[in-house]
Amino acid sequence: MTESTGNGGREYDPEAEHNFPDERLNSVLDEINSDPEITTYLKAQNVNAVQRKGYNDHGTKHIEIVRNRALCLYDLLKGGDVACNGAGDQGLAEADEAVILALAATLHDIGHVVHRDDHVYYSIPLAADLLDRFVPQLGFYDTEEAVRLKAEVLHAILCHHTEEDPLTTEAGIIRVADALDMERGRSRIPYEKGGRGINTLSSQAIENVSLRPGDGKAVLVEIEMINAAGVYQVDNLLKAKLDGSGLEEHVRIVAVNTKSGDQLVERIEL
């Protein structure tokens, strides 16, 4: 059993058995979590997003959620025999697929330190500089491998929040994982402070998001809502990011209204 099926796809457990080689990933995660430059970026990127623009969290907690769910999503896809092409196209090893995901998930929002608006385009040069320092110190990669790994990480970062189509499975995973941080009050669609508009109401409506093996598809994303307003988040956030991700054939989304007596929407599949 993989950790993705054991905990609802919420957290990646380095000690669990996985559907992919995880030793290299686990070493990289330790390095990420102990790197002072990376950890400072994750705190600093919330200043523009939250304090100055009034958006929801894009800092350390968001990154932890996206990275965990990207790795759980990847584990389920691998368990469903869905092939990744990013690392392979570059001549990298299967073990590097998860490394690409971990680095891209960690660095995808650092452009917020420059500005929230168009932040993804600022994330690219900042992440590129950081990767030039960080990847060689891991001890796994020679110069050519480090460049190729960097290329795949940057591609995944770019495609998480732009019109550019993901060209790799790894980039599609990051795109969808970013939207999976949508539980109560954490939606990626900005909400109005103190207001009662649809963004605010719908962002409070998602009670739980879980990932597990699907029936006929590699992944089932099951979303528990406490009222029908949550459909707005599911359709305008998660479904929108799944479309064009390259994962459409492998991911099934089911949203269930768990509140007794609210019959407007009981269950919807997208």
Side-chain angles (χ1 to χ4, degrees):
M1 176 181 291
T2 69
E3 185 65 16
S4 295
T5 59
N7 70 357
R10 300 174 64 85
E11 294 184 9
Y12 169 78
D13 181 359
E15 301 300 323
E17 294 183 5
H18 300 107
N19 295 308
F20 60 90
D22 59 10
E23 183 176 355
R24 181 168 293 186
L25 166 68
N26 293 338
S27 177
V28 172
L29 289 174
D30 288 340
E31 292 292 328
I32 287 172
N33 291 328
S34 63
D35 188 277
E37 183 180 10
I38 292 176
T39 55
T40 302
Y41 264 120
L42 302 189
K43 297 173 185 175
Q45 66 196 36
N46 240 2
V47 173
N48 278 331
V50 176
Q51 292 178 225
R52 295 171 180 166
K53 292 284 286 183
Y55 277 54
N56 42 358
D57 170 52
H58 285 74
T60 302
K61 185 62 175 178
H62 171 58
I63 296 304
E64 290 176 353
I65 291 171
V66 172
R67 188 169 61 220
N68 275 317
R69 297 197 179 174
L71 293 172
C72 290
L73 178 57
Y74 169 67
D75 193 21
L76 288 169
L77 289 168
K78 294 289 282 189
D81 295 322
V82 177
C84 290
N85 65 303
D89 288 350
Q90 294 286 3
L92 298 171
E94 181 185 9
D96 297 320
E97 295 168 356
V99 174
I100 291 167
L101 292 171
L103 290 171
T106 300
L107 303 177
H108 75 277
D109 270 346
I110 65 171
H112 279 91
V113 300
V114 180
H115 206 289
R116 160 64 194 180
D117 300 346
D118 296 323
H119 68 277
V120 67
Y121 297 107
Y122 305 123
S123 292
I124 296 299
L126 291 171
D129 285 349
L130 193 152
L131 291 167
D132 284 342
R133 171 189 64 80
F134 183 79
V135 173
Q137 77 183 29
L138 295 173
F140 300 134
Y141 306 103
D142 61 22
T143 299
E144 180 177 348
E145 291 167 335
V147 169
R148 292 179 180 276
L149 185 83
K150 171 184 171 182
E152 293 307 309
V153 173
L154 295 180
H155 175 72
I157 289 173
L158 176 68
C159 296
H160 91 271
H161 192 69
T162 62
E163 295 300 321
E164 285 84 358
D165 292 331
L167 303 178
T168 68
T169 310
E170 291 93 326
I173 290 171
I174 295 300
R175 187 181 184 94
V176 173
D178 186 47
L180 290 172
D181 181 12
M182 63 186 302
E183 289 168 344
R184 183 175 294 186
R186 296 199 52 80
S187 166
R188 309 330 300 152
I189 298 177
Y191 55 83
E192 306 91 344
K193 283 185 174 179
R196 295 187 59 81
I198 186 61
N199 286 331
T200 302
L201 295 175
S202 62
S203 74
Q204 298 294 327
I206 306 299
E207 183 74 13
N208 185 61
V209 177
S210 64
L211 305 177
R212 54 177 57 93
D215 182 11
K217 294 195 176 185
V219 181
L220 168 65
V221 179
E222 189 168 63
I223 299 164
E224 297 177 16
M225 308 179 297
I226 59 171
N227 64 64
V231 173
Y232 180 81
Q233 293 291 331
V234 177
D235 195 31
N236 287 272
L237 174 64
L238 180 55
K239 179 64 163 52
K241 287 214 170 188
L242 179 62
D243 289 344
S245 69
L247 303 181
E248 299 93 330
E249 295 182 3
H250 309 299
V251 177
R252 177 183 173 211
I253 302 171
V254 174
V256 179
N257 189 351
T258 62
K259 185 176 180 180
S260 177
D262 183 354
Q263 302 300 314
L264 181 61
V265 175
E266 292 183 344
R267 179 184 176 94
I268 186 170
E269 182 166 347
L270 300 171

